[in-house]
């Protein structure tokens, strides 16, 4: 039976970079779970790669047909943005192991949907000063930087990934991403034991 790796952490902890490395690791043979979002596409993103981009109407159609596994909504400086995972045929735990990027809420909901033994948490951590520097560099690279939204996300992370919420989610293993190679080696060692 396959498992789902739920990669999570505060903004700018390197989730996308770690995800790309894990997906490229042939020894793990992971398949992606591509989430949906109603937020605007960023420079360098491709529809169907990082996210499946939709609008509020598309979200409502999926919700009304009972296909949403988990969802989160953020009242951003630019309006309501939704992120959600859909039962759309992407996931077949009889056939493979999967990897996704999510939040603590997403992890808990995915675990409830598929069962506790089917979902492995991978929580990334990084010093707040380093995270802020990374977030600012990423935002500067955008065609239309949204510094207000970057700041909102950065501050919201303190509540979203509070120690209490991490404990409630039952997560004990954490990975500090201050050195990419070391962090990847630790995560790969953990996954090879668990998968």
């Amino acid at each position: 039976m396959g498992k789902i790796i739920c990669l999570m952490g505060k903004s700018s902890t390197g989730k996308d970079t770690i995800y790309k490395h894990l997906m490229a690791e042939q020894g793990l043979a992971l398949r992606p779970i591509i989430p949906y979002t109603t937020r605007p596409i960023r420079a360098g993103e491709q529809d169907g790669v990082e996210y499946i981009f939709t609008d509020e109407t598309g979200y409502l159609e999926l919700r009304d047909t009972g296909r949403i596994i988990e969802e989160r909504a953020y009242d951003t400086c630019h309006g309501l943005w939704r992120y959600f995972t859909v039962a759309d045929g992407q996931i077949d735990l009889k056939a493979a192991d999967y990897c996704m990027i999510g939040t603590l809420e997403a992890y808990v909901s995915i675990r409830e949907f598929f069962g506790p033994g089917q979902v492995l948490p991978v929580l990334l951590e990084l010093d707040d000063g380093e995270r802020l520097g990374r977030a600012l560099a990423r935002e500067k690279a955008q065609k239309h930087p949204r510094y207000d939204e970057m700041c909102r996300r950065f501050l919201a992370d303190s509540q979203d990934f509070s120690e209490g919420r991490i404990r409630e989610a039952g997560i004990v293993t954490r990975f500090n991403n201050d050195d990419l190679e070391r962090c990847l080696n630790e995560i790969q060692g953990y996954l090879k034991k668990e998968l």
Side-chain angles (χ1 to χ4, degrees):
M1 192 74 157
K3 294 191 178 183
I4 297 170
I5 298 158
C6 188
L7 187 60
M8 62 198 128
K10 294 177 179 178
S11 58
S12 300
T13 52
K15 296 181 297 291
D16 291 332
T17 300
I18 296 286
Y19 175 83
K20 288 174 186 171
H21 281 279
L22 292 177
M23 295 305 294
E25 178 59 44
Q26 292 182 0
L28 294 173
L30 300 172
R31 291 188 187 172
I33 298 173
I34 302 169
Y36 288 62
T37 187
T38 60
R39 79 151 165 78
I41 193 167
R42 291 180 183 150
E45 290 181 328
Q46 296 176 357
D47 188 22
V49 178
E50 293 85 6
Y51 292 96
I52 296 170
F53 292 90
T54 188
D55 57 15
E56 189 69 12
T57 301
Y59 159 78
L60 291 171
E61 288 173 4
L62 290 165
R63 187 197 66 188
D64 292 346
T65 57
R67 296 174 59 199
I68 294 180
I69 297 171
E70 63 82 24
E71 63 179 299
R72 293 143 280 135
Y74 301 100
D75 187 13
T76 75
C77 300
H78 304 282
L80 184 67
W81 291 355
R82 298 183 188 278
Y83 295 83
F84 47 102
T85 306
V86 176
D88 60 359
Q90 287 186 62
I91 305 167
D92 178 3
L93 293 179
K94 293 178 183 169
D97 293 312
Y98 294 83
C99 189
M100 67 177 289
I101 297 174
T103 62
L104 277 174
E105 293 170 330
Y107 164 69
V108 170
S109 295
I110 294 280
R111 184 182 65 193
E112 287 173 4
F113 186 87
F114 289 100
Q118 302 309 120
V119 186
L120 298 174
V122 174
L123 178 61
L124 297 178
E125 295 185 320
L126 185 65
D127 171 74
D128 281 347
E130 180 69 23
R131 285 193 319 107
L132 188 56
R134 289 181 183 183
L136 186 57
R138 180 175 71 187
E139 207 57 41
K140 280 183 179 179
Q142 299 299 311
K143 185 175 182 179
H144 302 288
R146 296 178 170 159
Y147 298 113
D148 51 353
E149 178 56 22
M150 178 202 79
C151 291
R152 185 206 63 79
R153 272 196 335 265
F154 189 86
L155 294 172
D157 283 339
S158 294
Q159 287 186 327
D160 294 345
F161 287 92
S162 70
E163 288 301 317
R165 288 187 177 181
I166 292 169
R167 269 193 311 277
E168 286 172 15
I171 297 171
V172 293
T173 304
R174 304 174 191 205
F175 302 91
N176 190 324
N177 192 17
D178 59 352
D179 178 274
L180 179 61
E181 188 174 338
R182 179 193 46 73
C183 185
L184 272 170
N185 286 336
E186 289 176 3
I187 292 169
Q188 288 172 355
Y190 165 73
L191 295 178
K192 286 175 183 174
K193 289 178 190 172
E194 298 293 331
L195 293 176

